[in-house]
Amino acid sequence: MNNREYITELNTLSPLDTLREYAEENAVPIMDKVALEMVKQLIRIHQSESILEIGTAIGYSGMHFASIHDHMHVTTIERNPEMYDLAVQNVRRFNYEEQIRLIFADAAEAFEKVNDREYDILFIDAAKAQSKKFFELYSPLVKKGGLIITDNILYHDFVGNIEIVRSRNVKQMVRKIEKYNDWLKEQSDYTTNFIDLGDGMSISIKER
């Protein structure tokens, strides 16, 4: 494909879809399309206006969340400097600077930077081995009746099928995710559903 054809193709896509192409070409992990649309629908149904996202990457999902309505505010945390810089550029490029607050920090240490408000939704899409820590750390900032959504809880369908995994490191990760999923089921203050969509997600409603 020559440059003219590539530019023509980009112009036929929605603006944010161009970021999906970039992510696929550069092995940047972003949300599955179907799972992303599911979360956006939850945001609409829940009439959410504030989201705390753990794991910004290049800003793709955060900007999709912000695109739902003009009153949406997204605070998003990213620890990788290259990803953070790309996210800053993308947020500026797509004119979401008024709606998205970017935090450059390790999410395990960023509480004081984001605890200036309550959130309707906590979206966890970062280091899978740390999901429980992030849930416990940031769930107090979620309003009663709010949602805590964890992405990739099936880990490429290895969760529940650990016998097919050959890599020792991957097995360890799968066991940690399985342990997290079991822990979620035990949380009496939350009602949790597990959705087999994309790489899987859990949706926890904060009851009290």
Side-chain angles (χ1 to χ4, degrees):
M1 181 184 296
N2 61 40
N3 288 342
R4 186 183 298 276
E5 290 172 335
Y6 180 66
I7 291 170
T8 300
E9 182 176 326
L10 288 184
N11 288 337
T12 66
L13 300 171
S14 68
L16 292 180
D17 280 336
T18 63
L19 291 185
R20 176 167 287 279
E21 282 199 349
Y22 172 87
E24 290 173 352
E25 291 172 1
N26 293 274
V28 177
I30 61 173
M31 285 191 74
D32 172 86
K33 280 185 178 181
V34 178
L36 176 62
E37 290 305 319
M38 173 68 161
V39 174
K40 290 171 69 176
Q41 191 69 345
L42 287 171
I43 292 169
R44 296 183 187 101
I45 293 169
H46 198 63
Q47 298 182 329
S48 303
E49 294 190 352
S50 57
I51 296 177
L52 174 59
E53 178 185 48
I54 312 298
T56 310
I58 58 174
Y60 177 76
S61 54
M63 287 189 289
H64 264 285
F65 301 155
S67 73
I68 293 175
H69 58 73
D70 292 340
H71 302 295
M72 176 65 71
H73 182 274
V74 179
T75 293
T76 180
I77 304 170
E78 177 58 50
R79 69 178 183 179
N80 182 302
E82 293 181 3
M83 291 294 100
Y84 174 80
D85 288 343
L86 282 172
V88 169
Q89 294 173 32
N90 288 329
V91 166
R92 185 181 300 122
R93 170 188 171 195
F94 291 103
N95 300 314
Y96 284 107
E97 292 173 284
E98 296 298 317
Q99 290 178 261
I100 297 179
R101 176 172 60 165
L102 293 144
I103 305 293
F104 177 51
D106 188 315
E109 303 170 353
F111 184 83
E112 297 298 328
K113 297 183 178 182
V114 302
N115 69 341
D116 57 341
R117 67 184 71 197
E118 284 188 309
Y119 300 90
D120 295 310
I121 295 178
L122 168 62
F123 180 65
I124 303 173
D125 187 19
K128 306 310 169 194
Q130 302 296 316
S131 293
K132 181 173 179 285
K133 178 186 290 187
F134 296 151
F135 191 111
E136 291 178 319
L137 180 60
Y138 291 106
S139 57
L141 301 182
V142 177
K143 299 174 184 177
K144 180 182 177 181
L147 306 179
I148 300 179
I149 302 170
T150 309
D151 194 28
N152 203 3
I153 52 94
L154 294 179
Y155 201 63
H156 313 297
D157 286 328
F158 290 145
V159 172
N161 295 292
I162 197 169
E163 67 278 359
I164 69 174
V165 179
R166 296 291 175 260
S167 166
R168 180 180 177 183
N169 289 338
V170 173
K171 278 190 175 182
Q172 290 177 340
M173 178 61 70
V174 171
R175 289 193 181 100
K176 288 177 181 178
I177 295 173
E178 289 178 337
K179 187 175 181 181
Y180 172 67
N181 294 345
D182 290 340
W183 176 81
L184 279 179
K185 297 173 187 176
E186 297 170 355
Q187 302 312 300
S188 59
D189 290 343
Y190 297 85
T191 299
T192 297
N193 288 293
F194 297 88
I195 310 297
D196 186 0
L197 201 65
D199 280 327
M201 68 174 64
S202 61
I203 303 168
S204 304
I205 304 171
K206 188 174 185 179
E207 303 290 358
R208 50 186 177 272

